[in-house]
Amino acid sequence: RRALRSAERLIYLESQFLWSPEIVSILADKLRNPPSDDFRIVAVLPARPKDGADVSRGAVAALIEADDEQRRFLACTLVARTGTLRDRVYVHAKIGIVDDRWLTIGSANLNAHSFFNDTEVNVQVADPALARATRLRLWSEHLGVPEAELGGDPADVVDRLWRPIARA
């Protein structure tokens, strides 16, 4: 919660579910009161989660509403491309990166069940070099471009490269 509240430029999440009202509330507040014009939130989720799709859709809808057409929030799914074939990627990752300075990765979904009931584990580090390298490596894979093309302003990369994928 502290990492999300402290975000100044970028919150990047990959998660199987986006169910936590507390997390959604923090994200919505960041969208309503962005710390800067170039603040962005990117949430990579499965197109059809195997459970709780309505809850995740409700969370995404709440964040879209909080964004109020400012284009700071982007939710999308991934598609694997092999030649002309397209296959939906079932996002099962549990990753969070804030401002290229904080990283969490592990097995906990963004929901109370994972946080309080299941046997889950996440590693959290405040390591700017690792957080940035992880984001660049993931974005290179997801966007299909070399890491060198992703090193600039994250807001520009989101607007220029992530938005077309989300539309598709």
Side-chain angles (χ1 to χ4, degrees), residues 48 81 98 105 121 151 166:
R48 293 192 174 111
R81 297 171 177 94
V98 174
I105 187 167
V121 65

Side-chain angles (χ1 to χ4, degrees), residues 12-17 41-50 56-57 60 73-81 86-93 138-139 141-144 161-168:
Y12 176 74
L13 303 170
E14 284 187 32
S15 188
Q16 182 179 12
F17 305 115
I41 297 174
V42 176
V44 178
L45 304 162
R48 293 192 174 111
K50 292 183 178 157
S56 287
R57 277 195 291 269
V60 168
F73 174 68
L74 181 66
C76 70
T77 191
L78 300 173
V79 177
R81 297 171 177 94
R86 303 284 187 262
D87 291 316
R88 285 190 185 116
V89 172
Y90 188 83
V91 177
H92 198 260
L138 283 169
W139 285 19
E141 178 184 324
H142 297 340
L143 298 169
L161 299 175
W162 275 104
R163 286 199 187 282
I165 288 175
R167 273 188 226 105

Side-chain angles (χ1 to χ4, degrees), residues 2 5 9 20 40 43 48 53 61 65 69 73 104 121 146:
R2 189 172 32 229
R5 285 190 181 112
R9 301 205 55 212
S20 168
R40 299 290 183 275
R48 293 192 174 111
E65 182 178 320
E69 298 184 26
F73 174 68
T104 183
V121 65

Side-chain angles (χ1 to χ4, degrees), residues 29-146:
D29 185 57
K30 295 300 282 190
L31 291 167
R32 285 187 200 100
N33 304 293
S36 65
D37 288 338
D38 59 354
F39 177 74
R40 299 290 183 275
I41 297 174
V42 176
V44 178
L45 304 162
R48 293 192 174 111
K50 292 183 178 157
D51 191 15
D54 291 339
V55 179
S56 287
R57 277 195 291 269
V60 168
L63 295 173
I64 289 169
E65 182 178 320
D67 189 36
D68 194 27
E69 298 184 26
Q70 297 302 304
R71 298 175 50 91
R72 291 187 178 96
F73 174 68
L74 181 66
C76 70
T77 191
L78 300 173
V79 177
R81 297 171 177 94
T82 306
T84 59
L85 297 176
R86 303 284 187 262
D87 291 316
R88 285 190 185 116
V89 172
Y90 188 83
V91 177
H92 198 260
K94 287 85 172 166
I95 299 168
I97 301 172
V98 174
D99 291 338
D100 282 350
R101 61 178 167 73
W102 180 87
L103 165 72
T104 183
I105 187 167
S107 62
N109 288 300
L110 295 176
N111 63 37
H113 202 274
S114 280
F115 292 158
F116 304 114
N117 298 321
D118 293 340
T119 304
E120 307 286 2
V121 65
N122 273 42
V123 173
Q124 298 179 46
V125 295
D127 183 330
L130 179 60
R132 179 177 169 78
T134 302
R135 179 181 64 82
L136 293 176
R137 188 174 314 128
L138 283 169
W139 285 19
S140 176
E141 178 184 324
H142 297 340
L143 298 169
V145 299

